[in-house]
Amino acid sequence: MATPDLEPYPHLFIGGRWAEPADGAHVDSIDPATGRPWARVAFAGPGDVDRAVAAAREAFAGPWRRLPGHERAALLRRFAELYQRHAPQLARIESRDNGRALRESRVDVGAHHQWLHWYASLADKLSGRTIPFDDSVHVFTSRLPVGVVAAITPWNVPLMSAIWKLAPALAAGCTVILKPAEHTPVSSLELARLVEAAGFPPGVVNVIPGGPEAGAALVAHPGVDKISFTGEGATAKAILRNGADTLKRFSFELGGKAPHIIFADADIEQALNAATGSAWALCGQSCALGSRVLVERPVYDRVVEEFARRAAKVRVGMPLDEATHMGPQAHAAQLEKTLSYVGIALGEGAELVAGGTRLDDGVLAGGYFVAPTVFANVNNDMRVAREEIFGPVAALIPFEGEEEAVALANATEYGLAAGLWTGDASRAHRVAARIEAGIVWVNTYRFLRWSTPYGGMKHSGWGRENGLEGLDAYLETRTTVVSTTGRFPDPYAQ
């Protein structure tokens, strides 16, 4: 039964219908701005996973994979129009569920329909190619949907991650089971309502919030052909072990410890705008966070001073307040993790120049708020510089010259994103070409669009999302060889 003062979400979305959990539960979703429940949500159990997989397999074998590309595109466009119309409501729900400042959520969620439109434009263009060989054969390739996809999304950007997976998967002709993170299930259930209103065939998209048990059942299920996961590296390794027996396809978008390099010849004011913005965006809960700020020695003191000054200008507050720049951490465990790294950094000899404390006065009492934090005199061997914190913690590291900047930037197990600022166009190309990261931003930062591939090297992931490469992840290639003579020699003729 739903608690009267909580928003009720008592059903899973399976096979085009809203259904009570068969062997799951109903769980409170916590508002990170208050530390109190705000919604009551259905969670799937293993039996519910079985139902979702069966529905997705039936839809894939039936109407969906046979639907012409232009008709899939029409449904995606209808979905996009509904999403755009409901974006303000979705942004508020996401901010309530994960604590992101509404001013950030509104900009992010307000652009998601563009992903749906862009992939809709590709749905009827999944052509193969003809391979010349000789006159005896006609050889060609076809592009086929990989099958049933389990899309497992994170708690920091649940809607963005869901759209990044749904748009190419549906354009490719796959069916999808969406499992949002257990901390942030509500916005994905709202997304299911738009799927229903758009008129997708039953089972094409299924939404089943759940905890680790449901996630493990989904990953191990023999009826799932592909896992698309965004989250922590440790979870990705567990997914690989759990899904290995069924030889699934995997794509992973994992963590990062992005270097944000500021050369002395850069436009320092613009570099500071980007560096401080990217250090504290989403309360630091971004895999592309520019948390390692590498600063050339001649401008290092100025950058440290400006980081401290700007940290004091950040308005930390309730997420739905229009004046708020930065909301809370998304859950209590993440708050504790961030605060623990403050102690670790101090113990290693880093200099705390701003923040480093929990904020719990007045209306912030009970919430998971932390001040924007800046450490100076950090070296790249410190844990605060090497490990992903997922909090608003910037580590400012000095360097001398281009060679050291590149060496420091690459001295990490991660390779998701990087940024650099310089007034020298030759240096920009030279340095960008040497950085080991899936995306490098030059004189800008966190430029993400539907057409630009995004993903990591090293421990930051497998494969890419967005762009044509994002569509490739949901397609298989079949080669067909047709004899033009119909002749095949008898191997035993002599």
Side-chain angles (χ1 to χ4, degrees):
M1 294 293 291
T3 306
D5 57 345
L6 301 183
E7 294 289 336
Y9 290 88
H11 300 110
L12 310 169
F13 186 65
I14 298 174
R17 298 186 178 188
W18 294 95
E20 288 271 350
D23 60 348
H26 290 91
V27 177
D28 289 345
S29 189
I30 304 300
D31 182 344
T34 64
R36 297 191 298 271
W38 78 281
R40 186 79 171 162
V41 182
F43 266 30
D48 300 306
V49 169
D50 288 340
R51 288 196 294 161
V53 173
R57 291 229 68 87
E58 183 178 354
F60 182 67
W64 188 243
R65 72 182 302 178
R66 295 198 299 269
L67 201 66
H70 68 275
E71 293 187 25
R72 291 201 305 275
L75 282 168
L76 276 167
R77 291 190 184 99
R78 193 178 308 157
F79 185 27
E81 290 162 1
L82 288 166
Y83 195 101
Q84 184 177 16
R85 194 181 311 154
H86 288 84
Q89 174 193 358
L90 292 171
R92 290 184 67 85
I93 288 168
E94 182 139 306
S95 289
R96 189 80 188 272
D97 219 20
N98 76 350
R100 188 177 183 182
L102 182 59
R103 62 164 59 193
E104 282 190 344
S105 296
R106 187 182 290 126
V107 172
D108 180 11
V109 176
H112 292 170
H113 66 282
Q114 299 282 9
W115 269 261
L116 295 164
H117 279 301
W118 196 76
Y119 279 105
S121 74
L122 300 176
D124 59 354
K125 300 174 182 66
L126 305 180
S127 56
R129 61 192 180 98
T130 299
I131 302 174
F133 189 75
D134 63 32
D135 290 344
S136 68
V137 290
H138 175 58
V139 183
F140 63 93
T141 64
S142 306
R143 303 286 275 158
L144 309 172
V146 72
V148 174
V149 175
I152 304 175
T153 55
W155 45 260
N156 61 330
V157 283
L159 281 173
M160 183 182 83
S161 186
I163 292 299
W164 282 20
K165 299 178 192 306
L166 281 169
L170 296 176
C174 296
T175 56
V176 181
I177 302 162
L178 174 63
K179 195 201 87 64
E182 59 189 295
H183 295 293
T184 53
V186 177
S187 58
S188 294
L189 290 170
E190 290 288 345
L191 190 65
R193 292 178 178 173
L194 301 184
V195 168
E196 182 181 33
F200 285 92
V204 170
V205 178
N206 308 273
V207 181
I208 53 168
E213 185 182 26
L218 192 58
V219 169
H221 203 292
V224 173
D225 300 297
K226 176 182 170 62
I227 304 291
S228 178
F229 169 75
T230 300
E232 290 186 272
T235 305
K237 292 174 185 177
I239 286 172
L240 278 173
R241 289 190 293 268
N242 198 16
D245 286 346
T246 51
L247 289 177
K248 290 175 169 56
R249 277 62 173 149
F250 296 96
S251 56
F252 297 129
E253 198 271 277
L254 307 176
K257 195 71 178 178
H260 201 157
I261 306 168
I262 303 175
F263 286 99
D265 64 0
D267 183 328
I268 301 301
E269 185 70 16
Q270 298 304 314
L272 282 164
N273 290 344
T276 54
S278 66
W280 303 319
L282 287 82
C283 196
Q285 297 165 141
S286 168
C287 48
L289 194 74
S291 54
R292 282 194 302 147
V293 187
L294 311 182
V295 187
E296 199 163 17
R297 185 63 79 173
V299 294
Y300 183 77
D301 290 343
R302 176 183 171 188
V303 170
V304 170
E305 181 181 339
E306 274 296 302
F307 256 82
R309 185 183 72 81
R310 294 179 185 217
K313 291 176 59 180
V314 177
R315 292 191 295 270
V316 180
M318 302 301 280
L320 300 185
D321 186 337
E322 296 284 353
T324 293
H325 291 138
M326 191 176 88
Q329 301 262 255
H331 54 88
Q334 182 55 52
L335 172 66
E336 292 305 314
K337 179 183 177 183
T338 297
L339 293 175
S340 75
Y341 271 94
V342 174
I344 290 167
L346 291 171
E348 291 180 321
E351 178 189 355
L352 181 65
V353 297
T357 58
R358 181 176 184 176
L359 303 177
D360 56 6
D361 291 336
V363 296
L364 305 187
Y368 309 137
F369 296 92
V370 63
T373 299
V374 184
F375 283 101
N377 298 319
V378 175
N379 70 64
N380 209 51
D381 295 326
M382 294 179 179
R383 288 181 63 189
V384 72
R386 301 191 69 83
E387 299 175 9
E388 187 175 42
I389 299 171
F390 235 54
V393 180
L396 275 54
I397 304 171
F399 69 85
E400 300 277 1
E402 189 175 306
E403 288 300 317
E404 187 180 14
V406 172
L408 289 171
N410 291 337
T412 172
E413 66 182 14
Y414 296 108
L416 181 59
L420 68 97
W421 289 81
T422 177
D424 184 335
S426 297
R427 168 182 277 167
H429 285 281
R430 195 166 58 239
V431 172
R434 297 175 64 193
I435 292 177
E436 298 164 354
I439 188 166
V440 180
W441 292 295
V442 179
N443 293 338
T444 187
Y445 203 84
R446 215 168 175 274
F447 182 92
L448 301 172
R449 296 296 186 273
W450 41 92
S451 55
T452 55
Y454 181 79
M457 300 178 180
K458 300 190 278 192
H459 287 203
S460 287
W462 290 359
R464 294 294 181 267
E465 294 190 294
N466 302 338
L468 296 176
E469 290 81 355
L471 186 60
D472 286 342
Y474 298 95
L475 293 167
E476 298 276 23
T477 298
R478 179 176 61 207
T479 302
T480 302
V481 181
V482 181
S483 171
T484 59
T485 67
R487 296 180 177 277
F488 199 95
D490 181 355
Y492 309 112
Q494 295 183 4

